[in-house]
Amino acid sequence: MAVEVVENEQEKRYEARVDGALAGFAVYIPADGMRVITHTEVDPAHEGQGVGSALARFALDDIRARGTKVMPLCPFVLGWMQRHPDYADLAFNAPASRVTD
């Protein structure tokens, strides 16, 4: 089974297709210097077949190619990054607050 992943800029999501049919997607919000990945969904018929991993890898490779960071609010993408430490450098780390009372 070949999974093809593309970015759908209009919908602000990455889409995975199997045999031309939508098998899953990862939604993002573009922000200054980063993309916030909010949700990943895989069709139940394709769960456990690498569709989610293909989405995560493609999205993170795309973000890296853009020279930006990612804030993975989606638990799947966050967990995927934790299992693939070679993507840890992409995680957005908010600067420490300078607010004083």
Side-chain angles (χ1 to χ4, degrees):
M1 173 185 82
V3 179
E4 177 187 338
V5 182
V6 297
E7 180 185 8
N8 180 337
E9 289 185 65
Q10 268 189 318
E11 298 289 327
K12 294 187 177 34
R13 68 186 194 175
Y14 297 98
E15 298 178 341
R17 297 188 177 276
V18 175
D19 296 327
L22 185 64
F25 57 87
V27 179
Y28 65 84
I29 299 170
D32 189 28
M34 73 172 141
R35 285 201 168 173
V36 180
I37 299 180
T38 61
H39 178 70
T40 301
E41 193 170 316
V42 174
D43 185 302
H46 296 288
E47 286 182 3
Q49 298 175 19
V51 173
S53 290
L55 278 166
R57 185 178 306 278
F58 184 94
L60 295 171
D61 286 345
D62 181 62
I63 290 166
R64 176 173 279 140
R66 293 171 186 275
T68 58
K69 298 290 185 178
V70 64
M71 181 179 289
L73 298 183
C74 167
F76 177 83
V77 174
L78 177 60
W80 194 92
M81 288 179 72
Q82 291 169 343
R83 290 187 306 278
H84 296 85
D86 47 320
Y87 287 90
D89 62 304
L90 293 177
F92 175 78
N93 293 313
S97 174
R98 295 183 185 176
V99 175
T100 59
D101 290 332

